[in-house]
Amino acid sequence: MAKGMREIKRSIKSKQNTKQITKAMEMVASAKLKRAQDAAVASRPYTDKIKEVVASIASSGGAIKHPMLQSREVKRTAYLVVTSDRGLAGGYNANVLRKVWTEIQEKHKSPAEYDVFVIGRKGRDYFKRRNINLADEVTGLSDSPKFADIKSLAAAAVKGFETGKYDELNLVYNQFYNAITQVPVIKQLLPLDQSEFTGAKASYEYEPSPEKVLDVLLPKYAETVVYSAVLEGKASEFGARMTAMGNATKNATKMIAGLTLTYNRARQAAITQEIAEIVGGANAQA
């Protein structure tokens, strides 16, 4: 009995230590979530202004044509997948990777029909385990990533579409709604949906020409959308981690309560047995 009680006591201590760790991780993730949300919001004015200028050109009587706005027969597709470097974030990585892998298996008959660009160590390891060749990868992003951190990868993916290497470029990431809800989405990044750039009324004069301006702005716009997805992915990661660690803390609390009840019952049983033995011995002597 004493041996069993010692084991229960050790288990309670272990669960208490785990609870302290998960609680601390939940608080850290909560603080980082706030910063990630602020960063995502701060990036929107720049993206909105580029979109406004592009819209004013694209809606100018339909006379403007640009390869990044034109659909073509899809022979080769690129996927730009946003994941995290670390785990302990619930289903954050598993959900987005499962979604893109299902999409790849349903749409493509062989690896020759697609390329994968990946951000995050979890995504990189996932595709390498499946012997998928990666066109480019970025790992080791900070909790507050800068545009320069992913610019080369985003530019390479966009350039691949511009040069005709890819006929379609899809962005795969977790769309952030709140700390509890993050939904994995596959968004067509290129060709750009021209319907998004209609209805603009602002009047601009362009030098040297609207086409030349589009040559510069459209790639920048696409790269900025990638960066926005990375920021949203970071917010989703911290939200998922905060929720996962919160659930882990609650589970640890329940386990500690259950083990404490078991320990108290065992101790009471041991005391009752000792009293019974003492009484029995006294009666025998009498």
Side-chain angles (χ1 to χ4, degrees):
M1 180 66 73
K3 181 180 179 182
M5 289 175 63
R6 285 197 298 270
E7 291 176 352
I8 294 173
K9 206 166 185 178
R10 281 197 298 268
S11 184
I12 291 173
K13 182 65 175 175
S14 174
K15 302 298 185 295
Q16 287 174 336
N17 291 338
T18 300
K19 179 182 175 180
Q20 290 178 344
I21 294 171
T22 55
K23 184 62 177 177
M25 293 181 69
E26 179 187 2
M27 295 173 67
V28 170
S30 177
K32 290 181 177 180
L33 171 60
K34 180 62 170 63
R35 290 197 293 268
Q37 285 181 282
D38 291 343
V41 170
S43 71
R44 289 173 187 166
Y46 178 75
T47 307
D48 291 343
K49 179 53 70 173
I50 293 182
K51 185 175 181 180
E52 177 188 326
V53 176
V54 170
S56 71
I57 303 174
S59 61
S60 58
I64 304 299
K65 301 293 183 182
H66 193 278
M68 292 180 69
L69 296 172
Q70 305 301 314
S71 297
R72 53 182 181 253
E73 182 184 357
V74 179
K75 297 180 180 178
R76 188 171 175 82
T77 303
Y79 296 90
L80 200 162
V81 186
V82 181
T83 63
S84 69
D85 286 321
R86 299 185 299 274
L88 296 178
Y92 170 78
N93 290 301
N95 291 339
V96 74
L97 290 171
R98 188 185 304 115
K99 188 172 185 66
V100 67
W101 186 242
T102 300
E103 178 83 0
I104 288 173
Q105 289 182 310
E106 290 178 352
K107 290 183 64 175
H108 307 291
K109 296 179 181 179
S110 73
E113 295 180 356
Y114 63 89
D115 268 348
V116 176
F117 296 80
V118 68
I119 296 174
R121 190 172 288 110
K122 289 294 181 180
R124 180 199 66 183
D125 295 344
Y126 178 89
F127 288 109
K128 283 191 173 181
R129 284 196 300 270
R130 286 158 177 75
N131 296 319
I132 302 300
N133 184 49
L134 299 179
D136 199 359
E137 63 181 74
V138 172
T139 59
L141 287 180
S142 69
D143 293 332
S144 301
K146 306 298 182 185
F147 179 67
D149 298 333
I150 57 94
K151 186 182 187 311
S152 62
L153 179 142
V158 172
K159 189 70 175 178
F161 180 86
E162 285 188 278
T163 59
K165 182 178 181 180
Y166 310 122
D167 303 301
E168 187 178 71
L169 174 59
N170 293 321
L171 184 59
V172 190
Y173 65 102
N174 276 293
Q175 190 168 1
F176 179 82
Y177 289 96
N178 53 54
I180 299 176
T181 306
Q182 305 88 33
V183 180
V185 296
I186 299 179
K187 176 180 180 180
Q188 181 178 301
L189 181 59
L190 293 173
L192 294 168
D193 185 357
Q194 198 162 356
S195 65
E196 294 183 8
F197 304 105
T198 59
K201 302 299 182 183
S203 177
Y204 298 94
E205 292 185 4
Y206 302 100
E207 291 293 341
S209 68
E211 290 82 359
K212 294 295 183 181
V213 173
L214 278 183
D215 286 340
V216 176
L217 284 187
L218 282 177
K220 287 188 179 297
Y221 175 73
E223 292 168 12
T224 304
V225 172
V226 174
Y227 179 58
S228 296
V230 171
L231 294 179
E232 196 158 335
K234 276 295 179 183
S236 297
E237 176 189 348
F238 296 136
R241 181 168 290 115
M242 185 180 75
T243 301
M245 292 301 100
N247 291 336
T249 301
K250 291 177 183 177
N251 291 337
T253 301
K254 291 179 181 179
M255 295 176 71
I256 291 169
L259 288 169
T260 301
L261 181 61
T262 302
Y263 176 80
N264 289 337
R265 286 175 175 173
R267 186 176 64 176
Q268 290 170 359
I271 293 172
T272 301
Q273 183 178 351
E274 290 176 1
I275 293 174
E277 290 174 353
I278 292 171
V279 172
N283 290 337
Q285 289 180 351

